[in-house]
Amino acid sequence: MSYLKVVTDQSTLAMVRSWLRFILDPSNGQIGKFENDRRGIERLLQGLVDHQRLTASTPVATIANLLTVELYGILVAWGVDDQASPEQRLRDYCDVALGSMLAPYLVK
């Protein structure tokens, strides 16, 4: 939520649309943006494993990839439909999907 909040609070919709064009264009050398964001989420998840909040069998890299794709998808959807709140879409995702995805890996 913090990542999304930074983007939505500090950007206009036009800036987000420009950013999307920039990161989606492989000719600009910014292919690493997605990977950088994915690694940040992976570090967060690994920290949960290290602190025994998630099990050692948690597929950290896979979940990090899925979460990054979801975050980028929310931003793309906002760029297409500015009436939809990115924060609400993320809350909906967390309420409906995230718990189910992480449930098998939560330390009891």
Side-chain angles (χ1 to χ4, degrees):
M1 190 59 88
S2 294
Y3 173 86
L4 191 62
K5 191 114 177 88
V6 166
V7 173
T8 58
D9 284 355
Q10 297 181 8
S11 304
T12 64
L13 188 56
M15 289 172 65
V16 169
R17 288 175 177 157
S18 226
W19 175 78
L20 287 169
R21 277 191 299 276
F22 179 73
I23 65 164
L24 294 174
D25 180 4
S27 68
N28 67 24
Q30 291 298 313
I31 284 292
K33 174 68 175 126
F34 177 89
E35 182 59 18
N36 186 53
D37 290 340
R38 191 199 64 74
R39 285 180 186 166
I41 293 172
E42 188 172 346
R43 284 191 302 274
L44 173 72
L45 291 167
Q46 187 59 53
L48 293 171
V49 171
D50 295 345
H51 287 92
Q52 299 177 342
R53 301 294 303 265
L54 294 174
T55 64
S57 64
T58 302
V60 170
T62 300
I63 293 173
N65 191 56
L66 292 169
L67 293 176
T68 308
V69 166
E70 184 63 29
L71 280 172
Y72 274 52
I74 287 170
L75 290 172
V76 168
W78 186 42
V80 173
D81 176 14
D82 63 348
Q83 299 304 307
S85 160
E87 292 88 354
Q88 186 58 53
R89 284 186 175 177
L90 184 56
R91 274 189 225 92
D92 291 345
Y93 175 79
C94 290
D95 290 346
V96 174
L98 188 59
S100 298
M101 184 187 337
L102 294 178
Y105 310 105
L106 293 174
V107 173
K108 308 292 184 218

